[in-house]
Amino acid sequence: DVLFVDWHYFQDQHSLRILKKFFHSLVGIPVHWVFLGKVHETMKLPGWLKADTPIQFLEKPVTFTALHGILAQLNPENIKPTDGSMDTASRTIRTLTEDIIILIAEDNPINMLLTTTLVKQIAVNGVILQAENGKQAVDLWREYHPDLILMDVQMPILDGLEATKIIRTQQSPDHIPIIAALTAGAMAEERSRCIEAGMDDFLTKPVTQQSIDTFLSTRFSSFKANTESSSMQTQTGSSERPSEQSKIPITRSDTTRHFDKDLLLHRISGDMDLFDELLTVFFQNVPTQISMLRTAVEHRDSDEIRSVAHALKGSCLNLGFHHMATLSQNLEEQYSDTLQVPVIIHSMEKELVRIRVLTGY
């Protein structure tokens, strides 16, 4: 009934021809097309998409509220109304009972904290090792021989691709680890580079409990299901609504664009302790990152600008800071533009003030 199409993957003529052929094969069938795109991206659809074709748009990253709104438009009779909160619900959590060693290689502290916590919730008997760069990952692999390695692709000192190549070259036939890429992009070119380096699979960031569960279930067999009651408390009291007490004018519809609290709580299964820890780590690190960007501009260090912007983008996508993530992505893409870079950094500083007000941190 509904087709979700990521427009990012249909930019070349070959992909468009495939999409066009598929589109024409569905003529006469009542199908709703939902195109996914970057936040504020202007998507130019080809002319063969007829005017009377039911088309909707969803901005990426997709939020619970936005997805609910789309589905409510398509089939309002079967969609329960929502006020943006998520009710207490029973959910099934599967746990991996094998005694495995898992190495997580990730240089971004927000991503590391989130990934480690979610993995621990599922791999309850697992031992978690942490590496901040590719060199540490190789060293820990040599010492502990992990069964599974979740490897970030972009890391300092030694990136994930090079670290994987070293491990594959030196590994023993008696113990071959599963290596999965942690990557913010799932482009065919990037996937190809990961496969060539020796990786087995991919986990797209920001990771979720569901994506980790799905991945582990395909690699390990000792899963058991537990049904728990999970309270998704996303509505806050007056003390947790600094935006309503602030002098900065922020409308409710605008708030989610800057901080999607529902999305973050959904991603971490309503764990308020983890919620607090993630935001604390973010606001401890982001002033240093902004300072690093200013210094990099002064020294005309384009590589440093791109590296810091990439790290910031990953953190913001994980935490639901959508507009800050967009600014970070713009900076990552325009890192060598000496005119635009200072402008974007200034906008990021203003946005940081806004999200501090919204979160109360």
Side-chain angles (χ1 to χ4, degrees), residues 35 78 104 117 176 187 203 282 313 338 353 355:
F35 288 92
N78 294 328
I104 302 174
T117 302
I176 300 176
M187 296 290 291
L203 274 173
F282 176 80
K313 180 183 71 174
T338 56
V353 173
I355 60 179

Side-chain angles (χ1 to χ4, degrees), residues 138-139 141-143 145 158 162-177:
V138 173
D139 291 342
W141 165 76
R142 286 173 176 152
E143 184 173 359
H145 304 291
L158 192 69
E162 292 303 316
T164 299
K165 289 177 183 178
I166 293 174
I167 292 172
R168 290 309 190 204
T169 300
Q170 300 180 9
Q171 66 189 8
S172 165
D174 299 328
H175 191 88
I176 300 176

Side-chain angles (χ1 to χ4, degrees), residues 341-355:
V341 164
V343 175
I344 297 173
I345 293 175
H346 179 66
S347 297
M348 292 171 73
E349 290 173 324
K350 291 175 63 178
E351 181 64 12
L352 179 59
V353 173
R354 187 183 292 265
I355 60 179

Side-chain angles (χ1 to χ4, degrees), residues 120-140:
K120 282 181 177 179
Q121 290 174 354
I122 298 174
V124 291
N125 295 324
V127 175
I128 310 295
L129 307 174
Q130 296 180 331
E132 297 179 357
N133 56 63
K135 183 180 182 304
Q136 286 186 9
V138 173
D139 291 342
L140 287 171

Side-chain angles (χ1 to χ4, degrees), residues 21 38 58 60 63 89 113 220 256 285 301:
K21 183 178 180 180
K38 297 177 184 177
L58 268 179
K60 292 166 54 182
T63 67
L113 176 58
F220 302 93
T256 303
N285 284 277
D301 189 344

Side-chain angles (χ1 to χ4, degrees), residues 38-273:
K38 297 177 184 177
V39 179
H40 307 308
E41 181 181 28
T42 301
M43 293 185 288
K44 299 179 180 179
L45 298 179
W48 44 264
L49 277 173
K50 299 178 182 180
D52 57 352
T53 302
I55 294 176
Q56 300 282 349
F57 295 91
L58 268 179
E59 292 181 332
K60 292 166 54 182
V62 176
T63 67
F64 171 85
T65 304
L67 180 59
H68 184 279
I70 288 287
L71 296 177
Q73 291 180 45
L74 299 180
N75 196 349
E77 293 81 10
N78 294 328
I79 299 293
K80 295 180 179 180
T82 179
D83 58 359
S85 65
M86 298 179 196
D87 299 327
T88 299
S90 176
R91 61 190 176 93
T92 299
I93 299 176
R94 300 193 302 172
T95 55
L96 175 66
T97 58
E98 288 186 40
D99 297 323
I100 62 173
I101 300 176
I102 302 172
L103 170 59
I104 302 174
E106 170 65 73
D107 66 311
N108 187 313
I110 296 293
N111 296 347
M112 176 65 85
L113 176 58
L114 181 61
T115 304
T116 300
T117 302
L118 295 179
V119 169
K120 282 181 177 179
Q121 290 174 354
I122 298 174
V124 291
N125 295 324
V127 175
I128 310 295
L129 307 174
Q130 296 180 331
E132 297 179 357
N133 56 63
K135 183 180 182 304
Q136 286 186 9
V138 173
D139 291 342
L140 287 171
W141 165 76
R142 286 173 176 152
E143 184 173 359
Y144 294 100
H145 304 291
D147 305 287
L148 169 65
I149 303 174
L150 302 180
M151 185 83 76
D152 186 23
V153 174
Q154 296 189 36
M155 289 187 291
I157 304 179
L158 192 69
D159 66 31
L161 298 177
E162 292 303 316
T164 299
K165 289 177 183 178
I166 293 174
I167 292 172
R168 290 309 190 204
T169 300
Q170 300 180 9
Q171 66 189 8
S172 165
D174 299 328
H175 191 88
I176 300 176
I178 299 168
I179 304 180
L182 294 174
T183 174
M187 296 290 291
E189 181 181 352
E190 185 169 16
R191 283 179 174 267
S192 178
R193 289 192 297 119
C194 291
I195 293 296
E196 289 174 2
M199 294 184 177
D200 302 294
D201 214 327
F202 308 86
L203 274 173
T204 302
K205 294 190 288 187
V207 296
T208 64
Q209 189 179 66
Q210 182 59 51
S211 65
I212 292 176
D213 177 287
T214 301
F215 166 73
L216 291 177
S217 67
T218 63
R219 298 291 177 173
F220 302 93
S221 58
S222 57
F223 268 86
K224 67 176 183 179
N226 299 313
T227 301
E228 295 184 357
S229 178
S230 173
S231 179
M232 306 297 289
Q233 298 177 359
T234 59
Q235 294 199 36
T236 59
S238 59
S239 62
E240 295 182 292
R241 288 186 181 269
S243 62
E244 295 179 0
Q245 303 167 11
S246 168
K247 295 181 181 179
I248 298 179
I250 304 174
T251 63
R252 182 61 192 164
S253 60
D254 194 40
T255 300
T256 303
R257 172 173 169 252
H258 298 279
F259 176 42
D260 195 335
K261 186 175 181 180
D262 285 356
L263 174 67
L264 177 56
L265 283 171
H266 179 67
R267 185 166 287 151
I268 61 177
S269 302
D271 187 335
M272 291 306 298
D273 290 334

